[in-house]
Amino acid sequence: METNRRAVRTLVSKLSSVSEQTRIEALCELRLMSKQDPQTRPVITESGAIPYLAETLYSSSHPSQENATATLLNLSITEKESIMSTRGVLDALSHIISHHSSTSAAAAVQSASATIHSLLSSVDDYRTVVGSKREIVYALVDILRCHRSSPPRTVKDALKALFAIALHPLNRATMVQFGVVPALFSLIVNDGRVGIVEDATAVIAQVAGCEESVEAFRKVSGVGVLADLLDLNTGSSMRTRENAVSALLNLVRCGGDAVAGDVRDAVAFGALDGIADVRDKGSVKGQSKAMELMRVMLGGGDRNVVLNSGSSFGSSVMNDDSGTSF
């Protein structure tokens, strides 16, 4: 271990070299070490690498960007507190993501988005901090808006980061303000890949849990799109259908009787069978939500209980692979 410690310190010292090639070689080594040997991650952190890695994200060198963001992603698996407490790291990640269509390397944008998701995967307080970084939220939404020119893996990592941000209820209004609702529905309608649609509907289900989403959904006919996803004839996956159920239920909870009427009209043709399928064959959470939604749609006696069941919205379904090393 002492040998590794000395090696890490030597590599970190090279990050301040005047030679770009020396810095890139050191970054490559740190990236590999942080990926292959988890025990080196705290050593890399303790050796003062994180400020250098953050500074490197402003470099115009794509190899430097790629290796620095990948190293931060690897460190984020176990060194979340150290990253979040280092001044300037979130701003540096924001810089990479914000320039996704210009000066940032595609691989760096992907790793930066994945790092945001990883940092938020288990610590609620961090979601408040990142959500207050409006540049990050806007940039992640912009990746979705430019999905035709963004690599699929980058889109998926942006979706996962937005999902994690949306888990904090107060962040949802900001996301709606930055246009996440039309960006998400455009992604669903125009992309169509199963994994993308599943992750996009997971974010939609979370964002639906705020009052600001009601008008935003109405402008893009979001309720109708979700109803189409629930129609068994469209062949949507169970995960997508569960997310659609969760989204409609959250929307009804926020919008009250008027939204409940819109949802009832939208699901009348085909979607009720999809809701019933989730109720019968979905996950435990999915079944519970489907039963609540069906009571609302059928005008059952428990409707008022459903509409006022509290402010803690149940989570939608998204795969979590935040432990992936690059």
Side-chain angles (χ1 to χ4, degrees), residues 96-157:
I96 285 289
I97 299 170
S98 297
H99 292 82
H100 66 91
S101 60
S102 56
T103 58
S104 295
V109 176
Q110 178 190 332
S111 292
S113 301
T115 300
I116 296 295
H117 172 242
S118 177
L119 291 170
L120 305 186
S121 62
S122 59
V123 184
D124 290 340
D125 289 346
Y126 294 165
R127 294 173 187 142
T128 305
V129 176
V130 173
S132 69
K133 296 285 186 179
R134 296 167 68 86
E135 298 86 356
I136 291 178
V137 180
Y138 181 86
L140 290 168
V141 172
D142 196 52
I143 288 175
L144 306 189
R145 204 178 282 118
C146 304
H147 66 89
R148 288 184 176 86
S149 58
S150 300
R153 184 68 245 185
T154 299
V155 173
K156 285 183 68 68
D157 283 321

Side-chain angles (χ1 to χ4, degrees), residues 57-90:
L57 301 194
Y58 294 97
S59 168
S60 60
S61 164
H62 281 194
S64 294
Q65 293 177 10
E66 292 168 1
N67 284 288
T69 51
T71 304
L72 281 171
L73 175 57
N74 295 339
L75 294 177
S76 73
I77 298 170
T78 57
E79 305 300 307
K80 292 177 174 59
E81 184 177 356
S82 296
I83 293 175
M84 289 295 294
S85 63
T86 300
R87 184 177 180 179
V89 172
L90 292 179

Side-chain angles (χ1 to χ4, degrees), residues 165-246:
I165 292 170
L167 288 175
H168 181 60
L170 296 181
N171 290 336
R172 296 167 188 165
T174 300
M175 295 171 67
V176 172
Q177 177 187 346
F178 287 154
V180 75
V181 172
L184 287 166
F185 279 104
S186 175
L187 195 58
I188 290 172
V189 172
N190 295 310
D191 189 295
R193 284 169 292 188
V194 173
I196 295 289
V197 172
E198 288 177 343
D199 289 349
T201 51
V203 182
I204 285 171
Q206 291 299 320
V207 173
C210 71
E211 293 181 2
E212 292 80 1
S213 67
V214 174
E215 182 60 26
F217 273 60
R218 187 171 286 118
K219 287 181 177 179
V220 297
S221 303
V223 169
V225 175
L226 293 171
D228 287 343
L229 293 174
L230 283 165
D231 189 329
L232 294 178
N233 292 324
T234 62
S236 298
S237 69
M238 178 58 75
R239 193 154 74 92
T240 293
R241 293 203 300 276
E242 286 194 14
N243 289 338
V245 165
S246 182

